[in-house]
Amino acid sequence: MGRGDLSDAEWERLRPFLPVSNRRCGRWRDHRQVIDGILHRVRTGVQWSDLPERFGPWKTVYERHRQWSADGTWERLLQQVQAEADTAGEIDWDISVDSTIVRAHQHAAGARIDPPPAPASKGDTLAEHQDETPWQSLVGRRAEVVQEVRAWAARAAGSRPSST
């Protein structure tokens, strides 16, 4: 067991929540060894291909991490461990936020509160939208732009390809 690897107590806490092989794709390498490899890479920042051999083939460690990230296994594992710790009363959910931790961006001061003015309409559509709020007018203009883009796309689909 190397420095930074899972302790026996940590492993026993994680093991019940880890996925089990379905035996269709062969046998999986030991989850503990692979998780230790992932933790080593996260902790040290080394390239996947530079993982020490004690974690097994680096491609196996990489693929397991990629697969579990894609299918949500890491998120489920976190939720399950948190739920178990919460029911045991091991998590203190009290938090404190003050201005030394969360600061507003320098451009956040004096921001406009009102929505932006409606864009100028063409032709007689100005009278048509006069009793609307700026937001309603903006939504209406968005619908007009979408229709124009669809018409443009339909015309482009019928024309022959050109190279620039």
Side-chain angles (χ1 to χ4, degrees):
M1 184 166 127
R3 193 178 97 206
D5 289 351
L6 291 173
S7 68
D8 291 336
E10 292 168 334
W11 173 244
E12 289 305 318
R13 190 169 216 174
L14 286 178
R15 188 170 44 159
F17 305 117
L18 292 172
V20 181
S21 172
N22 60 9
R23 302 216 189 276
R24 287 188 322 195
C25 301
R27 232 173 108 221
W28 281 4
R29 180 167 288 279
D30 180 36
H31 283 319
R32 184 173 185 171
Q33 183 183 31
V34 172
I35 291 174
D36 283 339
I38 293 168
L39 292 175
H40 177 80
R41 189 212 181 251
V42 168
R43 187 176 53 255
T44 62
V46 299
Q47 297 291 322
W48 287 108
S49 58
D50 293 335
L51 278 175
E53 291 180 12
R54 67 186 176 98
F55 300 120
W58 71 268
K59 285 185 179 182
T60 301
V61 178
Y62 167 75
E63 285 298 325
R64 184 90 47 92
H65 175 64
R66 188 187 62 75
Q67 178 185 7
W68 285 3
S69 294
D71 69 8
T73 299
W74 289 120
E75 287 82 15
R76 280 192 307 279
L77 183 63
L78 175 65
Q79 290 170 354
Q80 291 168 333
V81 170
Q82 276 182 338
E84 181 185 275
D86 191 29
T87 57
E90 298 172 349
I91 296 181
D92 181 16
W93 292 104
D94 293 337
I95 59 170
S96 174
V97 179
D98 62 23
S99 64
T100 61
I101 298 172
V102 179
R103 296 174 188 247
H105 191 272
Q106 62 186 1
H107 297 120
R112 280 193 339 210
I113 296 173
D114 298 331
S121 300
K122 291 190 266 182
D124 59 353
T125 58
L126 182 61
E128 177 183 314
H129 297 291
Q130 214 161 13
D131 59 338
E132 296 178 345
T133 66
W135 181 252
Q136 291 171 330
S137 179
L138 190 61
V139 171
R141 179 64 185 137
R142 180 188 164 271
E144 294 170 9
V145 169
V146 168
Q147 289 175 350
E148 290 174 19
V149 168
R150 284 184 179 155
W152 175 81
R155 285 192 305 271
S159 66
R160 61 187 189 99
S162 62
S163 174
T164 55

